[in-house]
Amino acid sequence: VSVFLFQAKSCICHMCGAHLNRLHSCLYCVFFGCFTKKHIHEHAKTKRHNLAIDLLYGGIYCFMCQDYIYDKDMEQIAKEEQRKAWKLQAFTPTVVSHYQCTMTGIGEKYSTWEPTKRELELLRHNPKRRKITTNCTIGLRGLINLGNTCFMNCIVQALTHTPLLRDFFLSDRHKCEMQSPSSCLVCEMSTLFQEFYSGHRSPHIPYRLLHLVWTHARHLAGYEQQDAHEFLIAALDVLHRHCKGDDNGKKANNPNHCNCIIDQIFTGGLQSDVTCQVCHGVSTTIDPFWDISLDLPGSSTPFWPLSPGSDGSVVNGESHVSGTTTLTDCLRRFTRPEHLGSSAKIKCSGCHSYQESTKQLTMKKLPIVACFHLKRFEHSAKLRRKITTYVSFPLELDMTPFMASSKESRMNGQYQQPTDSLNNDNKYSLFAVVNHQGTLESGHYTSFIRQHKDQWFKCDDAIITKASIKDVLDSEGYLLFYHKQFLEYE
């Protein structure tokens, strides 16, 4: 057993030469073997040596039981050997999360936390635990406006109430690799989550966050009112860049091929199909996105006719009032085939010449959090204005009709109910709405935040008030945040 940790660094697998790859030592003979590659398993089977010790953590594995054996005395010996190894390597044990110990190999340096006698005594004298009830307001906290910073405050409210992002930061998953952690936006977000879920009721002053935003996104610097959507994209971009060290170099199954928490939650894949009108050959590309920007009626771009639910029926959970535009209408327009015209011919790989074509966008991969940006601010050479068209949006949204896999169900842009509409993987629940009141030149941002399943609150900088579902659905809507239903657990 004394051959442990520090000594194990000089040990290698007798079959492949690897070291610290869950290396186990046979307790019958001098043999080291990889557990991951099952080299220790092969040795046990061949020699009938059925006991081995994990050289990293000290656990005894029985190959007959195919499980680790718990033994109090062996565990104590393992801990003593770990402490000796730390002293040899000049390591000081530090309390870290279980995730850090198991996922990054830090088990070499750190032990799991165990309460001291004093801590156990305090726990016995303070048996009450804080319970999360349906009326609990932990996580709700106002933000002081630091001079036209409502655009930042409303996005912070949405991000701090994103379930998986909250779990990431509250479980201490970020490992900063920047030379100066004080300049890391992810570290500041981690502190922000701690502040929000500390139970404090007084408004928080996000001056450090504002400073870091000005530092890393200089186009947002200054005390002028900024666009909340622009701030969201800038914040996600900086968080993505500062989170790079958290992915352990792994590539992920998303269009950004990044395993950072931002891409895991917000990144989706947008499929673009360009079809030649002569040979009908299709050129397909898939691009990553963090949000989907949707045109509105009243803009200078022509808008597609309303959906067939305008007679008062319900489509995708949206009640249609005559003449009312819905989020579904906007998504149908976004994913409709568009004729590019003679002025935008492409070189067809099939025809080997420039031909007219049609282009259609669909969702190849849906993100965990889908953010929809309703394009209310129109900027052109001749026009600068705000579009105040009311858009109805649902509490629950099914994205199946807009998937690339459902493309064949929409012939020539006509809506048809897809056969796989029962696919829960494509269903979302609304959890945050950002609104803009006022004009393009003078306006104010507020947000609605969902707390638990059915409680909504209005966040107006430092002031937070209870809101009804009707208040939320009747609001103008600028940014809509939806979370995948099958990951909902509140």
Side-chain angles (χ1 to χ4, degrees):
V1 178
S2 61
V3 182
F4 193 76
L5 215 95
F6 178 71
Q7 296 92 329
K9 289 205 175 228
S10 62
C11 303
I12 61 171
C13 174
H14 286 186
M15 296 185 73
C16 70
H19 68 284
L20 290 180
N21 189 12
R22 288 199 68 191
L23 202 63
H24 283 55
S25 172
C26 177
L27 289 179
Y28 292 80
C29 66
V30 181
F31 181 89
F32 302 111
C34 295
F35 192 90
T36 305
K37 297 180 180 179
K38 296 190 179 299
H39 293 154
I40 191 69
H41 297 71
E42 294 174 27
H43 172 79
K45 185 177 180 181
T46 304
K47 300 291 186 178
R48 294 187 180 180
H49 294 175
N50 292 317
L51 292 175
I53 184 170
D54 181 341
L55 292 184
L56 187 59
Y57 297 103
I60 305 295
Y61 190 85
C62 174
F63 290 94
M64 294 184 70
C65 304
Q66 296 185 10
D67 200 357
Y68 286 94
I69 303 167
Y70 173 76
D71 182 85
K72 189 176 181 180
D73 294 333
M74 290 298 296
E75 188 176 88
Q76 188 59 38
I77 293 171
K79 288 178 181 177
E80 289 174 4
E81 294 299 326
Q82 277 185 324
R83 292 189 186 98
K84 291 178 185 177
W86 286 325
K87 289 179 182 178
L88 286 170
Q89 294 183 312
F91 287 142
T92 302
T94 305
V95 176
V96 293
S97 67
H98 174 73
Y99 170 84
Q100 288 175 305
C101 289
T102 57
M103 295 300 289
T104 64
I106 299 180
E108 302 168 51
K109 306 178 188 178
Y110 304 109
S111 65
T112 55
W113 173 80
E114 290 184 7
T116 63
K117 290 182 178 179
R118 172 61 178 159
E119 288 167 334
L120 286 172
E121 184 180 340
L122 287 170
L123 287 170
R124 280 193 294 269
H125 285 85
N126 298 276
K128 291 185 178 180
R129 303 289 185 270
R130 175 173 281 173
K131 295 181 180 179
I132 305 299
T133 65
T134 54
N135 295 321
C136 181
T137 57
I138 292 177
L140 290 171
R141 194 169 183 185
L143 291 165
I144 297 294
N145 192 317
L146 299 174
N148 285 326
T149 57
C150 56
F151 70 93
M152 177 181 75
N153 290 348
C154 64
I155 297 302
V156 169
Q157 292 288 359
L159 293 179
T160 52
H161 288 84
T162 301
L164 291 183
L165 201 61
R166 174 195 64 203
D167 292 352
F168 175 84
F169 282 110
L170 292 184
S171 58
D172 194 25
R173 298 276 288 273
H174 172 57
K175 300 175 292 298
C176 187
E177 293 189 352
M178 296 185 69
Q179 291 183 346
S180 175
S182 62
S183 64
C184 176
L185 186 64
V186 191
C187 289
E188 177 56 27
M189 283 298 293
S190 182
T191 302
L192 203 63
F193 272 84
Q194 297 291 339
E195 288 287 346
F196 263 72
Y197 290 91
S198 64
H200 294 307
R201 295 179 177 272
S202 59
H204 178 66
I205 308 173
Y207 65 93
R208 288 183 58 194
L209 177 67
L210 182 64
H211 171 72
L212 286 174
V213 169
W214 286 359
T215 302
H216 298 291
R218 294 192 178 276
H219 62 289
L220 296 175
Y223 288 101
E224 295 180 358
Q225 180 66 273
Q226 302 289 348
D227 181 14
H229 173 248
E230 192 174 0
F231 175 81
L232 170 67
I233 299 304
L236 292 180
D237 178 59
V238 177
L239 287 169
H240 158 74
R241 286 189 275 120
H242 289 192
C243 272
K244 288 280 188 175
D246 293 329
D247 61 8
N248 296 320
K250 297 176 184 176
K251 287 191 174 182
N253 185 27
N254 63 59
N256 261 352
H257 301 297
C258 177
N259 202 45
C260 79
I261 189 63
I262 299 302
D263 281 303
Q264 286 186 55
I265 295 175
F266 293 96
T267 298
L270 191 64
Q271 179 169 315
S272 174
D273 294 319
V274 178
T275 305
C276 174
Q277 294 299 284
V278 176
C279 69
H280 301 291
V282 180
S283 174
T284 299
T285 57
I286 298 173
D287 297 307
F289 69 86
W290 279 332
D291 73 314
I292 300 167
S293 293
L294 301 171
D295 288 317
L296 301 180
S299 66
S300 58
T301 55
F303 199 82
W304 211 30
L306 296 179
S307 64
S310 57
D311 57 354
S313 62
V314 175
V315 176
N316 210 354
E318 296 165 321
S319 296
H320 290 66
V321 179
S322 180
T324 300
T325 303
T326 68
L327 178 61
T328 300
D329 291 327
C330 298
L331 285 167
R332 288 175 56 238
R333 184 193 184 282
F334 182 78
T335 56
R336 83 198 192 287
E338 178 185 3
H339 187 67
L340 297 180
S342 57
S343 61
K345 291 183 178 180
I346 62 161
K347 188 170 184 179
C348 177
S349 58
C351 301
H352 302 290
S353 60
Y354 286 91
Q355 304 289 353
E356 291 190 23
S357 59
T358 60
K359 179 180 178 180
Q360 185 172 13
L361 299 174
T362 49
M363 309 295 161
K364 178 63 176 179
K365 182 177 177 60
L366 291 172
I368 291 174
V369 169
C371 176
F372 300 103
H373 165 225
L374 304 182
K375 294 163 72 173
R376 296 199 174 276
F377 304 125
E378 190 168 41
H379 303 272
S380 65
K382 299 180 180 179
L383 202 60
R384 288 187 75 253
R385 62 180 181 137
K386 179 184 175 183
I387 300 168
T388 58
T389 305
Y390 172 71
V391 176
S392 169
F393 49 90
L395 287 173
E396 296 184 349
L397 176 69
D398 186 0
M399 287 294 290
T400 304
F402 313 109
M403 296 295 293
S405 57
S406 302
K407 181 179 175 181
E408 62 275 8
S409 70
R410 296 185 306 278
M411 302 300 293
N412 299 319
Q414 297 302 310
Y415 179 84
Q416 294 179 2
Q417 185 69 24
T419 56
D420 59 344
S421 61
L422 296 178
N423 186 353
N424 290 326
D425 194 39
N426 301 335
K427 293 183 178 179
Y428 287 81
S429 293
L430 184 72
F431 74 92
V433 178
V434 171
N435 290 286
H436 179 272
Q437 290 88 38
T439 64
L440 190 64
E441 292 75 22
S442 176
H444 179 61
Y445 286 103
T446 60
S447 58
F448 287 105
I449 299 298
R450 190 192 68 183
Q451 179 85 340
H452 305 295
K453 278 292 183 184
D454 55 1
Q455 287 192 86
W456 285 87
F457 292 86
K458 183 178 181 180
C459 302
D460 186 350
D461 289 331
I463 301 171
I464 296 182
T465 54
K466 191 77 180 286
S468 67
I469 292 176
K470 186 178 186 300
D471 294 332
V472 177
L473 299 182
D474 286 348
S475 65
E476 194 174 83
Y478 178 50
L479 298 174
L480 310 175
F481 293 84
Y482 285 85
H483 194 282
K484 276 196 173 183
Q485 281 186 6
F486 80 94
L487 288 172
E488 293 272 308
Y489 50 85
E490 291 185 287

